[in-house]
Amino acid sequence: MIIRWLAILGASTRQMLADWGFAARLFFKLLGMSGAVLKRFGLVRDQIHFLGNYSLAIILVSGLFVGFVLGLQGYYTLQRYGSAEALGLLVALTLVRELGPVVAALLYAGRAGASLTAEIGLMRAGEQLTALEMMAVDPVQRILAPRFWGGIIALPLLAAVFSAVGILGGYVVGVLLIGVDSGSFWSQMQGGVDVFKDVGNGIIKSVVFGVAVTFIALLQGYVAKPTPEGVANATTRSVVVSSLSVLGLDFILTAMMFSV
């Protein structure tokens, strides 16, 4: 019995290391193809449109309502300490540092990431990737790499839109509905938000999240079993793993950024 358990543990460990090795090789292969892919920027542009533009609606609506909630919660919290004028600073820092990159990445994983995994998985199930290999066309370079770079470029743009719309939502609730002074709202924000420390860190986070979420989505689709159940499982696994990766990376990046 013990020997059988050890055999199962050893096989599972070996398979896990093999999967990690394949993922690492695929990741570095995608990075190595960057120059060739970016020379044909039309392919990347199409993926930016597909991944970014089609995710814009959920980003706009979610960012607006997150801004509404931040405006309400922030006002009632700051009012206890007589600092309601700092509402603009609170909303801006919360969105630019944390909620903008993180929530945008989670929404991107659920919308664009799932779409990427399903698309690549269906190509695998329909033997389109195999057909490309038979024609001496590298599917990683032709199919995966443009989508990889499209996702890396699209997510920071979506995070910026999310933060901007969220700040507008906080302004609507705090200034137009509650009655916070408009000048204080914007001046506190302008004086307290640092371009490099706050906005720059948010951009770095969104780029890292874009790399992680897009790569996980492409990987899960690329290794999906060529069956309807395999594609469905890969899509579910992509969203779950991407979401957990975003939250874990957010903690690591925040600890690194604010401990320096």
Side-chain angles (χ1 to χ4, degrees), residues 74-162:
Y75 174 77
Y76 291 127
T77 301
L78 293 173
Q79 189 184 32
R80 297 180 181 180
Y81 307 99
S83 303
E85 295 78 9
L87 179 63
L89 178 61
L90 173 66
V91 171
L93 288 180
T94 304
L95 285 168
V96 170
R97 285 183 177 179
E98 289 296 329
L99 287 186
V102 173
V103 178
L106 293 175
L107 294 172
Y108 174 85
R111 179 6 190 127
S115 177
L116 277 177
T117 303
E119 183 182 16
I120 303 300
L122 288 174
M123 288 183 181
R124 173 67 70 188
E127 297 186 349
Q128 297 177 39
L129 300 180
T130 305
L132 288 174
E133 294 174 350
M134 294 295 293
M135 293 186 293
V137 176
D138 188 356
V140 175
Q141 181 175 356
R142 182 59 181 82
I143 303 298
L144 268 64
R147 288 164 173 77
F148 179 67
W149 283 102
I152 293 175
I153 297 173
L155 184 53
L157 298 177
L158 292 174
V161 171
F162 185 95

